[in-house]
Amino acid sequence: MAGKFIVLEGVEGCGKSTQLQLLARHLPASQSFQRVRRQLPTPPILTSREPGGTDLGVRLRHLLLHQDSQVSIDPRAELLLYAADRAQHVDQVIKPALDRGCWVLCDRFIDSTLAYQGYGRGLDLDLIHQLNRLATAGLAPDLTLWLQLPVEQGLARARQQGGGDRIERADLAFHRRVQHGFETLAQQYPQNRARIEANGSPTAVSAAILSVVEIYLEQWYPKDLAT
Ligand code: TMP
């Protein structure tokens, strides 16, 4: 049986990377996951991220984000580089892992391109949807968790943690448009998207995430099939 594909999304500094690790650590112990384990061979959990989930992706990530990267990048070129990263990632990592029955937890996916390059940079949303379909070969997440945090709070956190990469350094208005993008996506496509309030402690946010994932686990693997 194919594994499940869960994505964490949100603005800079919303805590997705920490939460991804916490989810990977706590999910195997959750009651619903334990029950699924009794129906299926133990599904291994793989964590990954975009950009940068493959060897090519690591190089693209450096070009796209690194503070030392002196390359100037046009918004359309930026869009295509994220799409190239995704095509390689889906083909080499995500799809094979899901086919093996792994669960894949990924830090960012298609919603980031819609939010950053679409709402943020102002590129055509229909075109991005098409490009996402090309890059993913039609693969969509089973669940996207949007970690909602006010932009100013997230940027302050992100800037405390590091010097600020190329996108973090963009102006506040850009990040506000990105936030509006995530908000709009959550409203437009509520199926398989959940909003998580991310301004609590990491433990509280992790518990909120786990309880949402448990609800989806109940839907994906209904109890009466367990017996
Ligand atoms: P992060 O992994 O630290 O969140 O950094 C990734 C950066 O790349 C973040 O600023 C969001 C940006 N990004 C896009 O602009 N478009 C995309 O499609 C993806 C995946 C990320």
Side-chain angles (χ1 to χ4, degrees):
M1 176 182 274
K4 294 293 176 195
F5 181 25
I6 300 180
V7 172
L8 268 70
E9 294 277 12
V11 294
E12 312 297 320
C14 67
K16 345 166 243 75
S17 312
T18 305
Q19 290 303 330
L20 194 86
Q21 297 312 321
L22 290 174
L23 181 59
R25 198 182 315 150
H26 297 313
L27 186 59
S30 92
Q31 265 190 1
S32 308
F33 199 77
Q34 293 279 339
R35 186 171 56 73
V36 172
R37 280 175 130 162
R38 288 197 290 275
Q39 296 177 54
L40 305 167
T42 304
I45 295 175
L46 181 96
T47 58
S48 194
R49 70 170 175 180
E50 289 194 359
T54 61
D55 290 344
L56 174 67
V58 169
R59 292 176 200 204
L60 291 172
R61 184 181 177 93
H62 189 278
L63 271 176
L64 279 161
L65 296 173
H66 202 272
Q67 305 170 38
D68 300 341
S69 173
Q70 300 298 325
V71 187
S72 120
I73 305 176
D74 170 84
R76 284 168 307 145
E78 182 181 87
L79 169 66
L80 293 168
L81 289 171
Y82 280 112
D85 169 73
R86 180 158 308 133
Q88 187 84 353
H89 192 208
V90 166
D91 193 60
Q92 291 201 337
V93 176
I94 303 177
K95 179 90 177 32
L98 292 171
D99 288 346
R100 289 195 307 273
C102 281
W103 278 48
V104 179
L105 310 182
C106 191
D107 189 337
R108 299 196 183 279
F109 199 60
I110 49 178
D111 284 7
S112 277
T113 317
L114 289 160
Y116 282 82
Q117 280 66 51
Y119 289 85
R121 301 280 190 227
L123 296 177
D124 184 78
L125 290 169
D126 288 338
L127 182 78
I128 299 178
H129 278 293
Q130 277 181 41
L131 195 57
N132 271 339
R133 276 198 293 279
L134 175 72
T136 60
L139 178 78
D142 293 289
L143 173 62
T144 298
L145 299 158
W146 167 44
L147 273 60
Q148 135 66 19
L149 187 73
V151 173
E152 292 83 351
Q153 212 174 318
L155 280 174
R157 265 198 207 169
R159 284 171 185 157
Q160 251 174 12
Q161 283 160 12
D165 63 36
R166 200 177 58 84
I167 290 194
E168 278 167 25
R169 289 197 306 265
D171 62 25
L172 188 59
F174 169 82
H175 290 287
R176 288 215 170 107
R177 291 196 297 277
V178 171
Q179 176 78 310
H180 172 66
F182 282 123
E183 228 170 280
T184 308
L185 288 168
Q187 281 163 9
Q188 276 181 339
Y189 309 101
Q191 325 80 339
N192 307 338
R193 274 185 184 75
R195 169 185 169 137
I196 308 282
E197 297 307 326
N199 57 359
S201 68
T203 314
V205 177
S206 171
I209 288 179
L210 207 55
S211 57
V212 169
V213 173
E214 294 244 352
I215 292 169
Y216 277 82
L217 269 159
E218 298 293 333
Q219 284 178 23
W220 294 331
Y221 306 98
K223 275 206 176 87
D224 47 5
L225 294 184
T227 49

